[in-house]
């Protein structure tokens, strides 16, 4: 497992992905938090109580590639609101 907390660790992870073929037997699922992993961990709160966060299209592309390679990914959050539900593709 590799924890990515800064840009140097992200670049190292990208290096590993370019140079190593993942062993399908080494893991079954990718499970990640939403806040701070797929966002910059900043929240905009509006006067009407609504909130918004910013996500990256690069994350979406990466997850699509990951899932199209036959892996399963799950995003978890402690937030009570429904953010987004994506139906699995066949």
């Amino acid at each position: 497992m590799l924890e990515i907390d800064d840009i140097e660790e992200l670049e190292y992870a990208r290096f590993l992905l370019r140079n190593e073929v993942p062993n399908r037997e080494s893991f079954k699922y990718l499970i990640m938090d939403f806040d701070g992993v797929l966002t910059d961990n900043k929240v905009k709160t509006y006067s009407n109580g609504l909130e918004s966060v910013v996500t990256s299209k690069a994350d979406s592309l990466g997850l699509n590639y990951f899932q199209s390679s036959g892996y399963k990914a799950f995003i978890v959050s402690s937030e009570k609101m429904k953010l987004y539900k994506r139906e699995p593709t066949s």
Side-chain angles (χ1 to χ4, degrees), residues 32-37 39 41-45 49-53 55 75-84:
M32 67 190 99
D33 187 30
F34 181 79
D35 300 319
V37 175
T39 72
N41 213 26
K42 296 178 183 174
V43 177
K44 289 183 182 180
T45 305
L50 294 177
E51 295 180 343
S52 68
V53 297
T55 58
I75 301 170
V76 296
S77 178
S78 62
E79 296 291 327
K80 302 290 186 228
M81 67 178 75
K82 181 179 177 182
L83 294 173
Y84 180 21

Side-chain angles (χ1 to χ4, degrees), residues 5-7 9-10 12 21 23 30 37-38 42-43 53 60-62 66 74 79 85 90:
D5 294 317
D6 56 40
I7 192 69
E9 291 174 348
L10 176 61
Y12 179 65
V21 176
N23 178 355
L30 172 64
V37 175
L38 298 175
K42 296 178 183 174
V43 177
V53 297
S60 299
L61 292 171
F66 184 81
F74 299 92
E79 296 291 327
K85 180 179 179 183
S90 41

